[in-house]
Amino acid sequence: MRNVFLMLPLILAFPAPAHADSVQGYCERDGKRISFSDGIAFVDARDAAGVVTTTIYLTAKALDRKALAACAACAEAPGENTFMSSRGDEIEGQRAAVADGWIELQHVGGELDMTSIVNIMYLSSDGVLTGLDGGNGQVVIGTNNPTRIAGKVTSEAREAPFNETDMKCEASFDLAVGWPKR
């Protein structure tokens, strides 16, 4: 028993490492592949009934979290809907992170309890913003709590002639929920 008390200071001195965020995978359509390497998840809306919408971005390049933290409007409490939120605009404005592509997902809690793909976008070589979504993408959430959200983005092939716009997605994410702090 005495050994346990002697070891306790050592255990407290070396706490378990924090769970690191993880993003990997891709979405592809018509020869354009977006490979995801970074991501962020945050509460983007809370309606009058308390239903929370969590927005998830997976990006092809690293996000500048220090710049995101500097957004004063983004640090405010979420509004009742995502249309009034400036958070997505801040992320999509980081051209170094999103030019090669990004995917935006939203999970709406409450009775709906559903996740949907909002956008799969990239900037083409001529600077035009281009969408990639083929409509056959699916999102499955495995972990969803106030501190973490994890899931997979996949796709299912459709038969001709409905497969002309099919995309292929195999991506996964495991992210802490929260907007970067100053």
Side-chain angles (χ1 to χ4, degrees):
M1 182 72 157
R2 188 178 85 134
N3 289 339
V4 172
F5 290 116
L6 292 175
M7 302 247 335
L8 188 57
L10 287 174
I11 292 170
L12 294 175
F14 298 104
H19 187 12
D21 287 350
S22 167
V23 173
Q24 57 189 6
Y26 68 92
C27 284
E28 182 178 298
R29 179 174 164 205
D30 298 332
K32 173 62 179 173
R33 179 180 278 229
I34 300 173
S35 296
F36 305 112
S37 62
D38 196 10
I40 187 169
F42 50 90
V43 173
D44 209 16
R46 181 176 281 113
D47 72 12
V51 173
V52 170
T53 299
T54 302
T55 298
I56 304 150
Y57 277 87
L58 308 181
T59 58
K61 300 229 172 126
L63 289 161
D64 181 348
R65 284 169 171 71
K66 187 174 181 181
L68 293 176
C71 172
C74 299
E76 296 174 3
E80 287 201 15
N81 62 61
T82 59
F83 300 109
M84 303 300 283
S85 174
S86 58
R87 293 171 183 92
D89 294 338
E90 286 294 316
I91 291 168
E92 293 171 23
Q94 287 195 8
R95 295 299 183 213
V98 301
D100 288 345
W102 78 90
I103 185 171
E104 178 187 359
L105 314 169
Q106 286 184 342
H107 177 269
V108 179
E111 287 183 32
L112 289 175
D113 194 27
M114 63 178 276
T115 306
S116 60
I117 298 173
V118 178
N119 293 307
I120 303 178
M121 307 292 287
Y122 69 97
L123 290 173
S124 62
S125 58
D126 60 1
V128 174
L129 187 61
T130 305
L132 190 68
D133 185 13
N136 62 324
Q138 303 170 341
V139 184
V140 176
I141 301 294
T143 299
N144 185 13
N145 61 52
T147 60
R148 294 211 75 70
I149 191 162
K152 294 182 179 191
V153 181
T154 60
S155 52
E156 80 179 352
R158 297 177 288 188
E159 294 183 22
F162 305 106
N163 62 350
E164 291 179 9
T165 60
D166 274 3
M167 67 176 176
K168 174 120 173 95
C169 287
E170 291 183 20
S172 63
F173 58 91
D174 186 349
L175 300 166
V177 177
W179 192 258
K181 303 217 183 298
R182 290 181 187 217

